[in-house]
Amino acid sequence: MSQHLQRAIDNLKKMILMVGTVVEESLRDSIHAFLKRDEKLARGIIAKDTEIDQMEVEVEEECLKILALHQPVAIDLRYIVSVLKINNDLERIGDLAANIAERVCYLGNKHYIYIPDTIPQMAKSVQEMLKLSLDALVKSDIDLAEKAFSADDYVDKLHSDMFPFVQEKIETEPEKIPEWLQLLSISRYLERAADHCTNIAEDVIYMVDGKIVRHSQMIENE
Amino acid sequence: MSQHLQRAIDNLKKMILMVGTVVEESLRDSIHAFLKRDEKLARGIIAKDTEIDQMEVEVEEECLKILALHQPVAIDLRYIVSVLKINNDLERIGDLAANIAERVCYLGNKHYIYIPDTIPQMAKSVQEMLKLSLDALVKSDIDLAEKAFSADDYVDKLHSDMFPFVQEKIETEPEKIPEWLQLLSISRYLERAADHCTNIAEDVIYMVDGKIVRHSQMIENE
């Protein structure tokens, strides 16, 4: 690999990890904003989403520039294509954090509802999945990537459990139907964020050994 | 452009349009299966999703092969990168069709519920968006692409309207809560399919004139 290409790839790595860091923050803050009903924090997350969108566009442009200028092959080509896709998944996780923040703003001073442990448990798992998949990307480490998506089934299960829970709550506290429906939305956002983390981990595996491991779980559970 | 590259791109075009056709069918059938509660049709859609997944992997491998062998630049490079992304969006629409089919199987012989006109209206709009965005891809036509995503706001609005509708229904027919929650899921799947059609249309614009039009609507409405 030419020195120029090596430098371009190193720079791209820095850029994508910066997106990862900002998205990690947004996700963490969005959960916090929801659990604490912190509208101010929520508004900050929504504002930051524009920044993430801009970062995504810049990473994509950088990938295209490298493809055009350096015409990489083999593992370098896979690296660029993987970054293109990981970039997209990170941006989507950013959107989901913004979606959670929007729910916080919508809830405002509406009824407070009981938040089951499932939500912080899901949040914790998703944050771990994101951290592991980003670590896997930094270290090009397949074991870390596999660890990252091993929690996806657990998150799916927790999300499925929310349906009967919400159903029961709606029956016993029908005056809070909009709030319960919002809780279901939050759970779904977390479950989708876990899906995107899985995509990232799968792309890291593809990047490292060229093996496509997608579609092991075909249909999302929501 | 070399003849070899031209031939490879023509072949890739055929492959991605084939994915588009199969996904269009799945989406159309999934709506039909839901409106008619046709479980047999629904099972067929779920089975076909594996086929779509396989097609997605093949298109992606073809894109990488072209990048590695022909090292395209300028519009050809943008074409390949756009196909990579459109491929992913099509596969996701296929997943959503399979998600709708799963809901049909889940509902089985459960209570029949009143299905508001909103659902067929959303379905019609999403199918039109998909058709327009695929036509835009075939003809590299920016006008068609812009037409494709102009309906996205309308679909978002219809989806938003479902929340108060479902809320009212839950209050008046609480014995059918699971069914009403499923209706909300179907509406959300359609709204997300519209988002993916928008992505495809935006990628066509990028492909044709190199302009990134993403993030005009930052946060999805669900």
Side-chain angles (χ1 to χ4, degrees):
Chain A
M1 179 173 20
S2 81
Q3 265 197 342
H4 288 294
L5 175 55
Q6 182 61 60
R7 219 174 295 144
I9 285 183
D10 288 347
N11 180 45
L12 184 65
K13 201 170 210 166
K14 269 185 214 144
M15 287 175 80
I16 190 79
L17 288 179
M18 183 62 76
V19 182
T21 305
V22 178
V23 169
E24 269 188 318
E25 272 171 25
S26 266
L27 183 66
R28 185 197 59 214
D29 288 351
S30 70
I31 307 300
H32 189 84
F34 175 65
L35 295 176
K36 302 288 174 196
R37 286 266 189 117
D38 185 337
E39 261 192 81
K40 202 181 147 197
L41 183 59
R43 287 189 202 292
I45 295 159
I46 294 168
K48 201 158 69 179
D49 195 49
T50 318
E51 200 184 304
I52 296 174
D53 289 347
Q54 185 52 38
M55 290 169 93
E56 188 216 3
V57 170
E58 283 163 15
V59 169
E60 189 169 316
E61 282 173 346
E62 191 60 27
C63 288
L64 278 148
K65 216 172 81 186
I66 298 176
L67 286 174
L69 285 181
H70 301 283
Q71 311 190 323
V73 290
I75 189 169
D76 298 328
L77 174 59
R78 288 208 306 272
Y79 185 80
I80 310 297
V81 170
S82 301
V83 167
L84 264 174
K85 297 169 76 182
I86 289 169
N87 186 40
N88 195 249
D89 280 303
L90 285 173
E91 187 269 334
R92 299 293 296 139
I93 298 173
D95 275 353
L96 291 164
N99 287 151
I100 293 173
E102 282 224 313
R103 299 300 109 200
V104 176
C105 296
Y106 167 85
L107 285 169
N109 293 322
K110 289 199 178 64
H111 293 297
Y112 276 69
I113 50 170
Y114 166 73
I115 300 189
D117 287 345
T118 325
I119 296 288
Q121 276 164 14
M122 283 178 90
K124 191 167 167 263
S125 291
V126 175
Q127 284 173 288
E128 277 170 12
M129 285 173 78
L130 182 55
K131 199 186 169 316
L132 281 166
S133 59
L134 289 172
D135 281 355
L137 174 65
V138 176
K139 299 176 185 157
S140 299
D141 185 326
I142 291 187
D143 289 341
L144 282 177
E146 283 174 352
K147 223 169 165 181
F149 62 68
S150 67
D152 193 39
D153 287 346
Y154 174 63
V155 175
D156 283 350
K157 167 77 175 65
L158 291 178
H159 176 58
S160 294
D161 290 349
M162 286 299 286
F163 280 82
F165 172 84
V166 164
Q167 182 180 337
E168 194 200 308
K169 285 295 181 183
I170 283 176
E171 280 165 9
T172 53
E173 298 178 84
E175 71 283 7
K176 297 182 186 169
I177 292 176
E179 290 81 351
W180 295 121
L181 292 181
Q182 298 303 320
L183 186 67
L184 209 53
S185 291
I186 302 286
S187 168
R188 194 176 48 249
Y189 295 144
L190 289 172
E191 186 268 338
R192 281 176 57 198
D195 279 350
H196 289 290
C197 295
T198 302
N199 292 349
I200 295 173
E202 288 171 349
D203 279 325
V204 170
I205 295 180
Y206 168 72
M207 182 185 95
V208 177
D209 74 358
K211 205 174 82 188
I212 296 183
V213 287
R214 274 201 310 279
H215 307 309
S216 41
Q217 327 104 297
M218 274 158 33
I219 300 173
E220 66 194 87
N221 181 11
E222 61 181 314
Chain B
M1 177 172 25
S2 79
Q3 267 198 341
H4 288 296
L5 175 54
Q6 183 61 59
R7 219 173 295 144
I9 286 184
D10 288 346
N11 180 45
L12 184 64
K13 202 170 209 167
K14 270 185 213 145
M15 287 175 81
I16 188 80
L17 289 178
M18 184 62 78
V19 183
T21 305
V22 178
V23 169
E24 270 188 315
E25 273 172 23
S26 266
L27 184 65
R28 185 197 59 213
D29 288 352
S30 70
I31 307 302
H32 188 83
F34 176 65
L35 295 176
K36 302 287 174 196
R37 288 269 188 115
D38 185 337
E39 262 193 81
K40 201 181 149 198
L41 183 60
R43 287 190 203 289
I45 296 159
I46 294 167
K48 200 159 69 179
D49 195 49
T50 317
E51 200 185 304
I52 296 175
D53 289 347
Q54 185 52 38
M55 289 169 94
E56 188 215 4
V57 170
E58 283 163 15
V59 168
E60 189 168 316
E61 283 172 346
E62 191 60 27
C63 287
L64 279 149
K65 217 172 81 184
I66 298 177
L67 286 173
L69 285 181
H70 300 283
Q71 311 189 323
V73 290
I75 190 169
D76 298 329
L77 174 58
R78 288 209 305 273
Y79 185 81
I80 310 297
V81 171
S82 301
V83 168
L84 264 175
K85 297 169 77 183
I86 290 170
N87 185 40
N88 196 248
D89 280 303
L90 285 174
E91 187 270 332
R92 297 295 294 138
I93 298 173
D95 275 353
L96 291 164
N99 287 151
I100 294 174
E102 282 224 312
R103 297 302 109 196
V104 176
C105 296
Y106 168 84
L107 286 168
N109 293 323
K110 289 200 177 64
H111 291 297
Y112 275 71
I113 49 170
Y114 165 74
I115 300 188
D117 286 345
T118 325
I119 295 289
Q121 276 163 14
M122 285 179 88
K124 192 168 166 261
S125 291
V126 175
Q127 284 173 287
E128 277 170 13
M129 287 173 76
L130 182 56
K131 198 186 171 313
L132 280 166
S133 60
L134 290 171
D135 281 354
L137 174 66
V138 177
K139 299 178 185 157
S140 298
D141 184 327
I142 291 188
D143 290 340
L144 280 177
E146 283 174 352
K147 223 168 165 180
F149 61 68
S150 66
D152 193 39
D153 288 345
Y154 174 65
V155 175
D156 283 349
K157 168 77 175 64
L158 291 178
H159 177 57
S160 294
D161 290 348
M162 286 299 286
F163 280 82
F165 172 85
V166 164
Q167 184 181 335
E168 195 200 307
K169 285 296 182 183
I170 284 176
E171 280 164 9
T172 53
E173 297 178 85
E175 71 283 7
K176 297 182 186 169
I177 292 176
E179 289 82 350
W180 296 121
L181 293 180
Q182 297 303 320
L183 187 66
L184 209 52
S185 292
I186 301 286
S187 168
R188 194 176 47 251
Y189 295 143
L190 289 173
E191 187 268 338
R192 282 176 58 198
D195 278 350
H196 289 290
C197 294
T198 301
N199 292 349
I200 295 173
E202 287 170 348
D203 279 326
V204 170
I205 294 180
Y206 167 73
M207 181 186 95
V208 177
D209 75 358
K211 207 173 82 187
I212 295 182
V213 288
R214 275 202 309 280
H215 308 310
S216 42
Q217 326 105 298
M218 275 158 33
I219 300 173
E220 66 193 86
N221 181 10
E222 62 179 315

